[in-house]
Amino acid sequence: MTSGSTREEAAVPARRLRRDRKGKTALILAASAAATAVTVSLLTGWPFGDERVEHVSGAGPLQSHTDTGTTSVYAPKKVPWTVTFGSYLLCSTSGDPITIDGIRYRTPVKPRSVSLKLRTVTPQVWKATVDAGQIGAALGAPPHFHQRKAPGDYKDARTGSRITQSCADQDKEGTGFTELLFVLDVGKQGGYINTAWIDYHVNGSPYTLQLDWKMVACGSRIPHTVDGTVVCDGKQS
């Protein structure tokens, strides 16, 4: 998705690469994580059992501006530290309201903790300041970042959180957006999320949106390459 209502902001990523989206839909299958990976569910209350349809962005009712690629952020000198990954602009392809049931993620390198936020930028905020663009990656936790401002309404991503903006509306300039944020508290070993899943329902039907964007907070246990991309080969300026 290329959204006319969003602006890329300079942040602190070491590397940020985009790749084309996959265009397939499949039934979700129970999968075992690798021995070094941990899958965490922050939200509970899933009422539909395992009968969910899993899809990538562009192939289901919920869509994300960012879904496949890599962002890495260099570690500052002071540890522990916090980094926020964003640019997951969520919208409804049909325009029907979407209700979030759960958000899961897999961590080959586990950070100290992860919290999830939804940031809403209204048309008024968007028009009022150039700082209202989406967050690619930023040191600090919302709403207080170290090297940038990012106005908006921040709330915890919870079971029952709703996405009401249509993708057609989000594509229009100046209409604002709702952005999912992953906030990592990071120790010496770093932190790495390689996949996330948003469980949700719309009109009584359950789905899961899979996000394959890799979020890397540099540290001692982060591999030299992630999905063929060299990461963490520098220092925080």
Side-chain angles (χ1 to χ4, degrees):
M1 172 183 173
T2 301
S3 175
S5 65
T6 61
R7 291 170 285 190
E8 291 289 351
E9 294 291 324
V12 290
R15 297 188 183 275
R16 184 177 178 85
L17 302 177
R18 289 184 182 274
R19 296 179 300 176
D20 292 337
R21 293 191 180 101
K22 305 170 187 176
K24 62 181 181 180
T25 302
L27 291 177
I28 188 170
L29 300 176
S32 59
T36 57
V38 179
T39 300
V40 180
S41 177
L42 288 188
L43 311 179
T44 59
W46 181 252
F48 302 105
D50 292 328
E51 299 299 321
R52 294 174 289 161
V53 174
E54 182 172 306
H55 65 88
V56 295
S57 189
L62 180 62
Q63 184 165 287
S64 170
H65 180 81
T66 297
D67 66 338
T68 305
T70 301
T71 300
S72 61
V73 177
Y74 301 137
K77 293 180 179 180
K78 187 177 180 180
V79 178
W81 56 291
T82 304
V83 60
T84 298
F85 293 95
S87 292
Y88 300 97
L89 305 191
L90 303 180
C91 62
S92 170
T93 58
S94 66
D96 294 326
I98 287 171
T99 301
I100 294 177
D101 298 300
I103 300 178
R104 298 171 286 130
Y105 53 85
R106 185 166 55 215
T107 53
V109 178
K110 189 176 181 180
R112 287 157 46 101
S113 67
V114 179
S115 60
L116 299 177
K117 299 287 184 181
L118 285 174
R119 174 189 177 220
T120 300
V121 173
T122 64
Q124 292 77 16
V125 172
W126 172 262
K127 294 173 183 177
T129 173
V130 296
D131 295 320
Q134 65 200 61
I135 300 169
L139 291 177
H144 304 296
F145 300 104
H146 296 181
Q147 299 178 356
R148 64 161 292 172
K149 297 179 180 179
D153 181 30
Y154 292 90
K155 294 183 178 179
D156 292 336
R158 301 178 180 273
T159 298
S161 294
R162 286 164 61 85
I163 306 300
T164 58
Q165 186 179 34
S166 71
C167 297
D169 179 67
Q170 192 184 85
D171 283 344
K172 299 174 183 177
E173 180 69 27
T175 55
F177 55 83
T178 298
E179 181 178 20
L180 175 63
L181 304 175
F182 292 78
V183 185
L184 279 61
D185 181 22
V186 185
K188 184 178 180 180
Q189 70 177 13
Y192 171 27
I193 296 175
N194 67 354
T195 308
W197 299 266
I198 304 176
D199 299 327
Y200 69 94
H201 67 272
V202 57
N203 295 328
S205 298
Y207 299 86
T208 295
L209 170 61
Q210 179 173 324
L211 302 172
D212 287 323
W213 197 281
K214 293 163 178 59
M215 296 167 271
V216 181
C218 296
S220 61
R221 289 192 57 192
I222 300 300
H224 180 63
T225 60
V226 169
D227 202 23
T229 300
V230 176
V231 297
C232 302
D233 57 346
K235 296 181 180 180
Q236 190 67 242
S237 58

